[in-house]
Amino acid sequence: MLTARPVPADLPARPARPAGALVESPLQLLCTIEAHAAGYGGAPTRVHVRDDVPALDVALEAVRGFGLPDGLETDLAGRRAALSAHEPVWLVGDAFSGLFQATALLRRGLERVVLADDGLATLDLARRLAAREPLVRMRAETGGPRRQLGAAAARRLRRLAAEGRVTLFTSLPLDPAVRAQLVAQGFGVVRNDFAWLAGVPVGDAPAEPTVVIGSALAADGLVDPDAYVAWVGGLAADGPLRYLPHRRQVPDLLDRVGALPGVTLDSAQAPVELRLRGMTAPQRVVSLPSTAAVLLTSILSPRGVAVTPQPVEDGWWTSRATPGLRAHLSGVLRLAADAAALHRPGGTPHPGATPPLIDQNNPEDHG
């Protein structure tokens, strides 16, 4: 078993206390494990994995197979069981959750909060905290009571931050101005470099020179399915590829992709960050804009593997794709470039980079 690193310097001196975590997506699961392994968890950290989210049970089985860090416990218990717990330290991916805000963040006895990555929503969370705005999802329909809850949650986080008790643990490139505002308010901002993942056995990786990460854009009716299939077929024309389906990809579309010459469908359902970490140069990963492209850049760039998110052509969009969504996905390309720059010698993100805002009507990332 791997042993957690020493408690980081930004943590206040305190005896080891139990920590709780509610996990609602494979990415939250992975980043919660990373936060605990980096010393931001508790003794122990109890990770409550929702039992009603597709693919989460498979993701939990996959990470258990690697051997969890010492002091980390997991259960497939559901939301109610998680939020009935009363740990003094809380690790959370979705800080916009009204259930989390009402039952965990605003209760008495909470001593420390660690904010872990939840896809690109993390960037909107950071921006709202820096700007002292209520913690409500962008463009979600929010009445007065919901905004009041979000405002109270934001105030509680800022009070804890002023005492040095909130850490943002993220692998995403933050806007420098947002980072500076958070630090000025007392938030600890720590980069998740996936150190735990780097230390576990690599395992098998796809043998094909190209891996394509499936997107839900077609399944969600945002891009034309014919254009999407043609895009995958064009990539396969350059050589054999492995296709990793998105968990929401519809069967008909998947059948069409699987019938393309040179395409092998991947049957594994583990998070792509686990499935692909054994890739080596000169292999490459191709995707449409997605959170996975940004995170895989952090994981695979040090191994010499190119991660290339490609833009969505204007003619692919359907009428359901709003201008805001199109702009958001275009901004993901810049974020991936910033993540790649961090792994070049002396590399830093573009000084003018501004993280895109997010349409939070759909809480799941479209990539």
Side-chain angles (χ1 to χ4, degrees), residues 301-321:
S301 288
R303 300 178 64 86
V305 177
V307 180
T308 308
Q310 298 188 352
V312 178
E313 301 293 339
D314 289 340
W316 298 7
W317 296 111
T318 70
S319 60
R320 295 183 60 182

Side-chain angles (χ1 to χ4, degrees), residues 149-167:
L149 175 61
R155 287 194 298 270
R156 180 69 185 280
L157 274 180
R158 293 188 189 100
R159 284 198 297 269
L160 290 170
E163 299 171 355
R165 297 180 181 275
V166 182
T167 298

Side-chain angles (χ1 to χ4, degrees), residues 24-25 28 94 96 118-121 137 247-248 291 358-366:
E24 302 181 272
S25 74
Q28 289 182 29
D94 184 9
F96 290 115
D118 182 30
L120 297 177
R137 302 187 194 281
R247 65 183 182 276
R248 296 202 312 277
T291 306
I358 307 154
D359 184 342
Q360 284 288 351
N361 286 325
N362 182 354
E364 293 186 309
D365 187 87
H366 283 290

Side-chain angles (χ1 to χ4, degrees), residues 52 175 234 238 255 283 290:
D52 58 347
D175 176 84
D238 295 333
D255 290 342
Q283 288 180 294
S290 69

Side-chain angles (χ1 to χ4, degrees), residues 276-348:
L276 302 183
R277 61 175 302 270
M279 293 180 67
T280 57
Q283 288 180 294
R284 65 170 183 160
V285 176
V286 181
S287 73
L288 294 182
S290 69
T291 306
V294 180
L295 300 183
L296 282 172
T297 297
S298 301
I299 296 169
L300 295 179
S301 288
R303 300 178 64 86
V305 177
V307 180
T308 308
Q310 298 188 352
V312 178
E313 301 293 339
D314 289 340
W316 298 7
W317 296 111
T318 70
S319 60
R320 295 183 60 182
T322 65
L325 175 65
R326 299 184 191 190
H328 156 58
L329 291 176
S330 296
V332 175
L333 301 175
R334 183 176 63 248
L335 279 174
D338 289 345
L342 289 173
H343 293 279
R344 291 194 294 266
T348 57

Side-chain angles (χ1 to χ4, degrees), residues 16 95 139 213:
R139 298 185 185 180
I213 300 174

